[in-house]
Amino acid sequence: MFKISAKTSFAAAHRLREYEGACENLHGHNWRIKATIGSEKLDELGMVYDFKNLKKNLQEIIDLFDHQFVNQIPPFDKELNPTSENLAKFIFKLLGKKLPEPIRMISVEVGESDNYTAIYEE
């Protein structure tokens, strides 16, 4: 398996519903995102996928959140609590839909800081 990753970040606010503690209050993060994709085969140029395309695909998703209140963005407005774990899965699923065969998602890591990250993979 060949794997490549792209990193990006965005600034956004959120509040955790039904959480007992400071994170129930409105607060913000400079979220750090790392998306990893992979393939058993390389293309004719010897690449899993062009980094430029991975960055573009990932940025289209991140632009939904940048400088926003995450709790107002579906499905985080009602259905999902805007935790790092739920954001990681949401980004994983959306990014996966943008990838051509035979490339597949490996993982998405969402960090609220340098010290705390959540990873979703299947």
Side-chain angles (χ1 to χ4, degrees):
M1 169 71 67
F2 296 95
K3 299 176 187 177
I4 64 168
S5 297
K7 293 181 181 180
T8 191
S9 62
F10 67 95
H14 74 151
R15 61 175 292 277
L16 299 182
R17 293 184 293 274
E18 300 180 33
Y19 179 85
E20 293 182 21
C23 292
E24 186 174 23
N25 299 321
L26 178 63
H27 64 284
H29 298 287
N30 289 319
W31 303 82
R32 294 157 181 84
I33 310 300
K34 179 181 176 185
T36 302
I37 64 174
S39 178
E40 295 291 337
K41 299 177 183 179
L42 299 178
D43 68 13
E44 62 280 352
L45 297 176
M47 297 188 292
V48 170
Y49 192 58
D50 191 329
F51 282 116
K52 176 182 67 179
N53 292 332
L54 178 56
K55 178 183 175 183
K56 178 183 173 282
N57 295 155
L58 183 57
Q59 195 60 49
E60 288 171 354
I61 297 166
I62 297 313
D63 286 346
L64 299 171
F65 298 103
D66 194 30
H67 287 81
Q68 300 296 318
F69 179 33
V70 178
N71 294 66
Q72 294 177 336
I73 300 168
F76 303 101
D77 56 342
K78 296 178 182 143
E79 185 180 328
L80 293 176
N81 212 3
T83 63
S84 292
E85 294 88 344
N86 282 330
L87 278 169
K89 183 177 181 181
F90 181 81
I91 294 167
F92 181 101
K93 296 292 188 182
L94 282 184
L95 185 55
K97 292 177 183 177
K98 295 177 176 283
L99 300 174
E101 290 289 332
I103 301 164
R104 65 180 187 91
M105 289 298 306
I106 302 297
S107 65
V108 169
E109 182 173 343
V110 174
E112 294 185 2
S113 71
D114 289 335
N115 299 321
Y116 302 106
T117 62
I119 300 170
Y120 181 81
E121 56 188 27
E122 290 182 352

